[in-house]
Amino acid sequence: MLSYLLTAFALMLVLEGLLPFLAPGVWRETFKRITAMADGQVRFIGLTSMIVGLVLLILLH
């Protein structure tokens, strides 16, 4: 179980690092836009991301 968790964490880090590595200007601009959003908007994006991730896990499992 721990190896699956660590594998998932490692994959998340790889995916999170792709955009800053490939297009740092786009990543920086996106980050600026996110920091300018209201807390509710950021929470909605986070909730939507979690729901999409859970649905994908259910469909792929």
Side-chain angles (χ1 to χ4, degrees), residues 7-33:
T7 302
F9 184 67
L11 184 57
M12 182 213 52
L13 289 174
V14 169
L15 292 175
E16 287 285 328
L18 277 176
L19 190 58
F21 178 74
L22 296 174
V26 173
W27 179 81
R28 190 175 291 116
E29 185 60 36
T30 302
F31 196 75
K32 285 180 186 176
R33 288 182 185 173

Side-chain angles (χ1 to χ4, degrees), residues 1-60:
M1 175 77 172
L2 182 60
S3 66
Y4 287 127
L5 183 61
L6 291 175
T7 302
F9 184 67
L11 184 57
M12 182 213 52
L13 289 174
V14 169
L15 292 175
E16 287 285 328
L18 277 176
L19 190 58
F21 178 74
L22 296 174
V26 173
W27 179 81
R28 190 175 291 116
E29 185 60 36
T30 302
F31 196 75
K32 285 180 186 176
R33 288 182 185 173
I34 291 172
T35 58
M37 289 180 176
D39 287 350
Q41 291 173 305
V42 176
R43 283 190 180 111
F44 179 76
I45 291 170
L47 177 63
T48 303
S49 177
M50 289 188 298
I51 291 170
V52 169
L54 285 173
V55 169
L56 281 174
L57 282 173
I58 290 168
L59 290 175
L60 295 174

